[in-house]
Amino acid sequence: MRMRAAAPGMARAGGRGMGRGWGWLWLAPAVLVAALFFGTAVGETRIPLATVIEVLAVKAGLSSAALDPIDASVIWHYRLSRAVVAACGGASLALSGLILQALLRNPLAEPYLLGISAGASTGAVLIAVAGVGGGLVGMSAGAFAGALTAFALVAGLAHAAGGGSGLRGAGVIILAGIAGSQMFNALTALIIAQSASAEQARGIMFWLLGNLSGVRWPDTGLALPVAALGLAVTLWHARALDAFTFGAEAAAALGIDLRRTQAVLIGTAALVTAVMVSIAGAIGFVGLVVPHAMRFLVGTRHARLVPATALAGAVFLVLSDVVSRIVIPGQVLPIGVITALVGAPAFAVVMVRGRQR
Amino acid sequence: MTPPLELDGAGRRVQGRDIVADVSLSLQPGEMLGLIGPNGSGKSTLLNLMAGLMRPCRGEVRLNGQPMARLRRRQIAQRLALVAQSADTGDRITVREAVELGRTPWLDPLRPWSPRDDAAVAAALKAVDMAHMAARDWSSLSGGERQRAHIARAHAQSPQILLLDEPTNHLDIHHQLGILDLVAGLGTTTVIALHDLHHALRCDRVLVMQAGRCVALGPPAETLTPALIREIFAIEAELILHPGGARPVFAFQRLS
Ligand SMILES: Nc1ncnc2c1ncn2[C@@H]1O[C@H](COP(=O)(O)OP(=O)(O)OP(=O)(O)O)[C@@H](O)[C@H]1O
Ligand SMILES: [Mg+2]
């Protein structure tokens, strides 16, 4: 035991104190830009790297070379916008999972598994088929309402079933999440069957699985500010999230205003999830995989964990999107398939490790 | 002079049952008040009322003369720290990180971690004799070590009032006495829920609870009479003076 004490901070990159150890953060923009570039350079059709760089240079106003309009359009309108939205969505979903895990004291909490994404889908579809207009913002508002409703239902059900913290509580809330997901997915199917045309229905079904195919630049106008807002709010509350280490009551004893903090943070998690669902459908497991991987790398203190999670979430979803486009030649898989392929085993690992504790 | 903490007919009702009823009390600065009573008599609930974590259904709790209900949580936490009966975590954190949480009420995004906070954490770790374990993982600690780390966390909060719910649980006899001496030595106004009547003898005053009511309040030697102990705990107790002049000791006999 004494021997372990002699090796401080082992197995953890974290230094001491809550606010230190920021050096690696300077790498963040570089890593993000590299991921975005990779997402732009790789795709179903092969475009030479030189062309990719040339298109980006022209669009950035650094060059005035003549461009092949098709290449330019694929790279600029299709791939880059898609990579940017993927990055925003990855950061959003990862932060959402981080918030839920910290507040619910539950290692398996995640917007998809808790049925929040399903609730958001229902809300978004309801707005879409009702034809009240408002476009993406209207759908996002509907999704936000759906996400909050789903969270309230699932949390209420878990509470009524006697869920608390710890793995038993984790199990209860996941069961409640499954019930919620099933119910909201059934509702969504019902709404589609009732009121959408066959063509509309096919589009919606494809989107529901989690898909970035339809993404264009206007979507970034919503995805970027919302992801930035989510990151800012979560960072602002980093210390409050730390205070939940020993549970909500302990956090209150440390001076955290529980009602306000929970409302703001759960609201943020629901909002970023809702916007992401409106743009790209329900993409699962990002909120589970990324925060756990980052805890392993930078420790559990949120001053470091929040930016690390946002960055890693962004990179993870950009890369998942690239994989979804190239893994089967000539066919684009829904990105949710890729994240689930990574996420389901991660879920198993978290579950087994929780049991051993 | 306003007392650091006052209860004025405070009561708490849950599901139609009074789990704490009509408790009035005025803490004296620097005193150590012991809370005594059988399981379920309302000690933890009373501590939660004092900590402002529960609102009294009746009566009022005042901190430095100000009604608790009108203070913000952060203001309360700057003056008052609570070590709950059980609080654990599955997070992989070190002892130091756990103790650093005590600085939470003094920090915000615009007032970041400073050397003063480092000093408070170091002093707290030293006070509970855990400085050499600062880098240890929480999950590797024994129950008693966790309890000491919790007390260090509360101490790092720099409170004027310390509320401790059975802090000597899990501790060996050496550390039990160590914690009591430590708490007494801090000079902080302290309320401490205890099960060991010998520990209660070390307090300045004791408050005896039964079924949510305060049945006695005063200096321990005068309050913990054989008659009271028989009524509350259903045991026969006799206070025996120590021949060497140390604290008196109880001899117990269970009543059937
Ligand atoms: N939320 C609640 N709902 C119903 N009953 C409660 C609740 N909280 C506490 N009680 C009851 O109130 C009584 C007092 O509980 P409390 O935890 O304050 O006792 P205690 O004196 O601290 O006991 P112990 O010595 O076992 O720690 C108990 O009978 C308990 O069952
Ligand atoms: Mg108790």
Side-chain angles (χ1 to χ4, degrees):
Chain A
M1 285 296 163
R2 284 288 151 87
M3 301 252 302
R4 293 192 58 186
M10 56 220 141
R12 187 174 312 156
R16 300 163 35 203
M18 289 198 267
R20 281 154 293 170
W22 288 93
W24 58 273
L25 253 187
W26 296 108
L27 274 175
V31 173
L32 189 58
V33 167
L36 287 174
F37 181 75
F38 185 68
T40 312
V42 182
E44 309 90 296
T45 51
R46 190 157 295 167
I47 298 176
L49 208 57
T51 315
V52 175
I53 294 172
E54 206 170 76
V55 170
L56 292 178
V58 169
K59 291 291 184 183
L62 300 172
S63 157
S64 54
L67 297 174
D68 176 314
I70 295 183
D71 281 353
S73 167
V74 166
I75 288 165
W76 185 256
H77 289 296
Y78 175 67
R79 287 191 192 165
L80 184 59
S81 61
R82 181 174 174 148
V84 169
V85 168
C88 295
S92 297
L93 294 174
L95 286 175
S96 182
L98 183 64
I99 290 172
L100 294 169
Q101 284 154 25
L103 293 192
L104 301 177
R105 305 303 314 144
N106 189 324
L108 297 177
E110 197 257 346
Y112 186 76
L113 292 171
L114 292 191
I116 297 175
S117 301
S121 300
T122 306
V125 168
L126 202 57
I127 296 292
V129 301
V132 292
L136 190 55
V137 174
M139 264 172 80
S140 295
F144 184 48
L148 286 178
T149 310
F151 178 80
L153 273 178
V154 168
L157 179 56
H159 184 75
S165 58
L167 198 70
R168 208 193 89 80
V172 169
I173 201 158
I174 295 305
L175 285 178
I178 291 173
S181 294
Q182 294 295 327
M183 193 193 79
F184 281 103
N185 285 340
L187 266 178
T188 307
L190 193 69
I191 295 167
I192 295 172
Q194 276 278 320
S195 38
S197 68
E199 195 181 331
Q200 226 181 348
R202 196 156 356 98
I204 292 175
M205 283 310 204
F206 198 57
W207 161 79
L208 274 182
L209 285 172
N211 199 297
L212 286 164
S213 300
V215 165
R216 296 293 179 268
W217 277 116
D219 297 319
T220 60
L222 188 62
L224 254 177
V226 166
L229 177 76
L231 177 58
V233 171
T234 318
L235 260 184
W236 184 266
H237 286 90
R239 223 174 280 281
L241 288 166
D242 283 344
F244 280 84
T245 299
F246 288 96
E249 192 146 300
L254 287 170
I256 303 300
D257 181 343
L258 281 189
R259 257 199 226 154
R260 197 196 61 84
T261 307
Q262 285 169 334
V264 168
L265 286 172
I266 297 282
T268 302
L271 176 71
V272 297
T273 304
V275 167
M276 205 44 218
V277 166
S278 307
I279 295 174
I283 301 172
F285 294 99
V286 180
L288 183 76
V289 175
V290 176
H292 282 294
M294 288 304 109
R295 275 191 199 99
F296 194 73
L297 285 181
V298 305
T300 57
R301 300 301 84 188
H302 289 84
R304 285 192 296 271
L305 188 54
V306 169
T309 297
L311 173 67
V315 172
F316 175 70
L317 209 60
V318 172
L319 296 186
S320 297
D321 183 43
V322 170
V323 173
S324 80
R325 281 180 283 157
I326 61 174
V327 69
I328 302 179
Q331 198 180 334
V332 180
L333 287 175
I335 190 171
V337 171
I338 306 298
T339 58
L341 278 176
V342 180
F347 182 94
V349 169
V350 173
M351 225 167 75
V352 171
R353 280 225 326 227
R355 213 185 92 86
Q356 286 166 348
R357 202 172 268 139
Chain B
M1 192 181 159
T2 46
L5 189 73
E6 267 176 300
L7 278 77
D8 191 355
R12 174 88 186 171
R13 235 180 134 74
V14 176
Q15 290 158 5
R17 192 163 70 90
D18 284 319
I19 56 179
V20 166
D22 196 27
V23 175
S24 293
L25 164 74
S26 188
L27 280 187
Q28 286 150 24
E31 83 166 327
M32 180 149 138
L33 175 78
L35 284 186
I36 300 289
N39 294 134
S41 58
K43 302 181 295 294
S44 298
T45 309
L46 187 62
L47 282 172
N48 276 330
L49 287 172
M50 291 178 175
L53 292 177
M54 277 181 188
R55 289 261 169 110
C57 302
R58 240 174 272 130
E60 192 174 60
V61 181
R62 285 186 291 272
L63 194 57
N64 297 115
Q66 292 163 290
M68 191 80 95
R70 268 194 245 137
L71 294 171
R72 293 171 9 154
R73 275 254 40 100
R74 191 177 160 85
Q75 296 173 303
I76 297 171
Q78 288 177 347
R79 301 187 210 166
L80 181 151
L82 170 73
V83 175
Q85 198 165 359
S86 63
D88 215 345
T89 184
D91 284 358
R92 285 180 53 228
I93 61 166
T94 62
V95 171
R96 179 185 301 279
E97 285 168 335
V99 175
E100 283 173 351
L101 290 176
R103 300 307 297 165
T104 306
W106 300 99
L107 301 168
D108 63 47
L110 304 178
R111 190 211 158 304
W113 191 266
S114 74
R116 223 177 55 198
D117 302 302
D118 269 329
V121 169
L125 281 166
K126 191 156 168 279
V128 299
D129 192 19
M130 284 190 82
H132 62 288
M133 294 191 199
R136 282 270 295 272
D137 271 333
W138 183 265
S139 60
S140 76
L141 298 184
S142 74
E145 288 163 348
R146 286 177 201 201
Q147 197 62 266
R148 276 152 67 201
H150 275 307
I151 292 172
R153 194 257 306 137
H155 185 38
Q157 219 171 315
S158 317
Q160 292 155 16
I161 301 169
L162 196 54
L163 306 177
L164 303 159
D165 201 349
E166 297 183 32
T168 50
N169 268 359
H170 302 302
L171 298 194
D172 64 48
I173 183 79
H174 175 82
H175 280 112
Q176 285 181 17
L177 299 185
I179 288 295
L180 292 171
D181 286 344
L182 160 71
V183 170
L186 292 176
T188 316
T189 313
T190 306
V191 182
I192 179 168
L194 292 168
H195 276 304
D196 190 322
L197 296 182
H198 287 116
H199 294 167
L201 290 176
R202 296 168 163 258
C203 296
D204 298 310
R205 289 196 296 168
V206 292
L207 189 157
V208 185
M209 302 276 295
Q210 187 185 31
R213 290 179 181 276
C214 164
V215 290
L217 174 63
E222 296 149 38
T223 311
L224 298 173
T225 58
L228 182 86
I229 293 174
R230 189 181 317 118
E231 190 205 320
I232 304 289
F233 291 104
I235 55 170
E236 206 63 68
E238 194 183 346
L239 201 57
I240 300 170
L241 293 179
H242 191 278
R247 288 172 207 284
V249 292
F250 284 109
F252 298 123
Q253 183 90 53
R254 188 167 169 269
L255 294 178
S256 47

